[in-house]
């Protein structure tokens, strides 16, 4: 674990850029960027195009450590290079931005009001490669759709079990039990979730460090007590389907939370934009998210 990166993630000003669309979400990300499905014929061409998009974002002068603390990468992006360097190394050495890796393999079928993570069959090999590629931490997502105590308990238990395996490899896991923003009982789900997270944090050995990535809560500052837990490096917020404007407004009302936005970050970017247009649009988005993250 890189101590400088740990200090930066714990106390630095800024937010985490989520550049980790994968699998089924990649065509949608490309479509939002203006790349049609008929512009590629196979998976390799698709991933090359999305890496080009991410490279354009990362190399943009707007993608600056003055505003951005970290960036979450998809496995395919970690295994590709920017200007001859592994993407994670480029992020840290050229941009001074902390690299994370999405490690989950998607969601299982709904049960008990939640979607657990699918089994991560190659996790040890993936983590070893992440360490070799100079990754600092990981991210993995589950989804909570109903205020079902049994389901939420299983989500949090699975997240922390895998998180400990990740920490033992010298990486900092981002625990991400997302509460669906359209859930009819979102506030109740958040209460159950926070209680289960606190139970898991209380059971950890004193040296274990994690990060939390949570939906912006219904009640402002609801997660403030988690911010001060000695095991928690940082609590970050996902945009969860809100527009960038709505996500920024809601985030700004929750002191101490910082953004980890994906779609809200890339909203308005297009392959057809000139570099000046692209950099201006990206810069405006980054500054808006940054301002919401430092309230």
């Amino acid at each position: 674990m890189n101590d400088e990166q740990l200090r930066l993630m714990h106390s630095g000003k800024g937010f985490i850029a989520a550049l980790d669309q994968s699998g089924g979400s990649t065509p949608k990300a490309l479509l939002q960027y203006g790349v049609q499905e008929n512009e590629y014929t196979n998976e390799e061409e698709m991933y090359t195009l999305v890496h080009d998009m991410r490279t354009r974002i990362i190399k943009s002068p707007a993608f600056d450590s003055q505003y951005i603390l970290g960036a979450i990468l998809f496995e395919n992006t970690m295994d590709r290079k920017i200007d001859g360097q592994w993407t994670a190394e480029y992020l840290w050495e050229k941009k001074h931005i902390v690299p994370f890796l999405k490690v989950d393999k998607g969601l299982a079928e709904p049960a008990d009001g939640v979607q657990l993570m699918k089994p991560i069959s190659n996790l040890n090999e993936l983590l070893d490669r992440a360490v070799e590629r100079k990754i600092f931490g990981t991210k993995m997502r589950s989804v909570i759709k109903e205020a079902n105590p049994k389901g939420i308990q299983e989500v949090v238990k699975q997240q922390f079990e895998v998180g400990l395996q990740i920490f033992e490899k010298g990486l900092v896991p981002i625990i991400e039990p997302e509460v669906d923003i359209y859930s009819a009982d979102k506030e109740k789900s958040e209460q159950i979730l926070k209680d289960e997270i606190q139970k898991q944090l209380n059971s950890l050995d004193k040296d274990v460090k994690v990060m939390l990535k949570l939906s912006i809560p219904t009640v402002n500052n609801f997660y403030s007590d988690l911010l001060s837990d000695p095991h928690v490096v940082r609590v970050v917020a996902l945009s969860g389907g809100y527009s960038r404007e709505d996500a920024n407004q809601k985030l700004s009302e929750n002191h101490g939370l910082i953004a980890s936005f994906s779609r809200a970050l890339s909203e308005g970017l297009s392959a057809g934009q000139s570099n000046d247009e692209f950099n201006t649009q990206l810069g405006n988005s980054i500054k808006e998210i940054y301002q919401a993250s430092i309230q």
Side-chain angles (χ1 to χ4, degrees):
M1 191 180 301
N2 184 308
D3 289 339
E4 183 182 358
Q5 293 175 344
L6 182 63
R7 286 193 298 272
L8 185 62
M9 289 313 309
H10 182 260
S11 56
K13 285 188 175 182
F15 69 95
I16 297 176
L19 306 175
D20 60 329
Q21 299 99 336
S22 61
S25 64
T26 300
K28 184 178 179 181
L30 284 172
L31 194 61
Q32 290 172 340
Y33 184 56
V35 177
Q36 305 299 315
E37 290 192 35
N38 62 8
E39 294 183 52
Y40 50 89
T41 58
N42 55 49
E43 191 174 81
E44 175 58 26
E45 290 180 5
M46 177 185 74
Y47 283 131
T48 296
L49 286 169
V50 84
H51 186 65
D52 290 344
M53 177 186 74
R54 289 164 178 159
T55 297
R56 192 181 187 192
I57 291 171
I58 290 168
K59 291 185 69 174
S60 169
F63 201 79
D64 191 290
S65 60
Q66 179 181 350
Y67 308 105
I68 299 170
L69 293 174
I72 304 172
L73 308 175
F74 172 48
E75 180 181 353
N76 190 278
T77 306
M78 178 187 73
D79 289 334
R80 292 176 185 258
K81 294 183 177 183
I82 298 176
D83 293 351
Q85 285 185 289
W86 297 114
T87 304
E89 290 180 323
Y90 183 93
L91 275 168
W92 181 245
E93 294 178 13
K94 300 297 186 184
K95 292 283 188 166
H96 211 63
I97 290 171
V98 179
F100 291 82
L101 174 68
K102 167 187 161 69
V103 297
D104 69 82
K105 301 299 183 183
L107 300 170
E109 291 299 313
D112 296 321
V114 304
Q115 287 182 274
L116 297 171
M117 295 182 289
K118 290 179 178 177
I120 311 172
S121 58
N122 67 331
L123 182 59
N124 276 325
E125 182 274 329
L126 179 58
L127 296 176
D128 287 340
R129 203 161 77 252
V131 171
E132 182 183 334
R133 297 279 194 270
K134 308 301 183 185
I135 293 288
F136 168 77
T138 65
K139 190 216 82 156
M140 50 193 177
R141 172 176 173 261
S142 312
V143 174
I144 297 166
K145 295 182 175 293
E146 300 172 11
N148 183 310
K150 179 177 182 292
I152 295 173
Q153 183 182 50
E154 286 300 309
V155 160
V156 178
K157 179 183 176 184
Q158 183 192 42
Q159 283 275 343
F160 274 85
E161 284 177 349
V162 179
L164 280 172
Q165 186 177 349
I166 290 164
F167 181 79
E168 287 169 1
K169 290 284 188 176
L171 301 166
V172 175
I174 298 178
I175 306 292
E176 185 185 3
E178 174 183 347
V179 177
D180 190 331
I181 64 170
Y182 302 110
S183 170
D185 47 12
K186 178 174 178 280
E187 184 176 349
K188 186 177 179 182
S189 292
E190 289 164 347
Q191 182 63 66
I192 299 169
L193 173 63
K194 186 168 78 166
D195 290 344
E196 291 298 327
I197 289 173
Q198 194 63 68
K199 288 177 188 176
Q200 290 291 334
L201 291 173
N202 290 343
S203 71
L204 297 177
D205 291 341
K206 65 179 182 179
D207 64 327
V208 176
K209 300 293 184 185
V210 302
M211 293 174 61
L212 301 173
K213 182 170 179 176
L214 306 171
S215 303
I216 302 172
T218 306
V219 176
N220 289 340
N221 301 308
F222 181 67
Y223 294 124
S224 59
D225 47 345
L226 296 177
L227 295 169
S228 58
D229 190 285
H231 297 290
V232 177
V233 177
R234 206 73 183 248
V235 182
V236 305
L238 55 97
S239 51
Y242 293 122
S243 69
R244 182 172 63 244
E245 182 179 359
D246 286 347
N248 285 338
Q249 178 59 42
K250 292 175 183 297
L251 179 65
S252 69
E253 295 167 354
N254 285 271
H255 304 299
L257 290 189
I258 66 171
S260 177
F261 292 172
S262 174
R263 188 183 55 80
L265 172 67
S266 58
E267 191 177 299
L269 299 180
S270 170
Q273 290 170 326
S274 69
N275 284 337
D276 284 346
E277 291 169 335
F278 181 91
N279 293 334
T280 298
Q281 175 63 53
L282 180 61
N284 289 339
S285 299
I286 286 171
K287 288 173 184 175
E288 288 174 11
I289 296 170
Y290 172 79
Q291 287 299 324
S293 294
I294 62 171
Q295 299 299 320

